[in-house]
């Protein structure tokens, strides 16, 4: 399932995992995170530190976890989900 998100003026498209990889590669130091999964956990940590809220991710695939993370971020205004399907 493909999705499209927007952060500020930039849009990202693909599966949740592909979008995580795109975001990872645009990070200040993309080598800091060797894969999409490590980047997801960094996003989660940053979200919890910034909002002081829990950010539970479901058991299961990285795709499912990525989509949940994007929904958490959208709920608090960090990004906009343009398409999810």
């Amino acid at each position: 399932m493909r999705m499209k998100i927007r952060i500020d003026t930039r849009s990202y498209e693909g599966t949740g995992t592909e979008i995580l990889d795109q975001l990872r590669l645009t990070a200040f130091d993309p080598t800091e995170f060797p894969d999409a999964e490590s980047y997801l956990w960094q996003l989660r940590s940053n979200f919890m530190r910034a909002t002081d809220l829990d950010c539970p991710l479901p058991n299961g695939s990285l795709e499912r976890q990525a989509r949940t993370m994007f929904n958490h971020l959208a709920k608090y205004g960090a990004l906009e989900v343009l398409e999810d399907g």
Side-chain angles (χ1 to χ4, degrees):
M1 286 175 46
R2 298 187 65 77
M3 67 185 315
K4 183 175 182 179
I5 66 168
R6 181 175 31 229
I7 301 173
D8 296 324
T9 60
R10 187 158 181 189
S11 295
Y12 301 88
E13 293 184 63
T15 64
T17 304
E18 289 168 347
I19 293 172
L20 275 177
D21 243 355
Q22 292 170 42
L23 293 172
R24 179 181 68 85
L25 293 173
T26 62
F28 178 71
D29 180 7
T31 62
E32 183 178 355
F33 310 103
D35 54 31
E37 186 173 10
S38 63
Y39 187 73
L40 171 70
W41 291 102
Q42 180 63 31
L43 277 177
R44 181 178 181 266
S45 292
N46 287 346
F47 174 86
M48 291 179 6
R49 212 173 22 256
T51 63
D52 212 19
L53 298 169
D54 192 17
C55 183
L57 296 178
N59 292 328
S61 70
L62 180 58
E63 180 66 23
R64 187 168 173 219
Q65 292 174 342
R67 287 176 176 276
T68 301
M69 185 76 241
F70 293 141
N71 286 326
H72 282 301
L73 291 168
K75 183 177 178 181
Y76 292 96
L79 59 82
E80 182 181 358
V81 176
L82 303 173
E83 295 175 24
D84 189 5

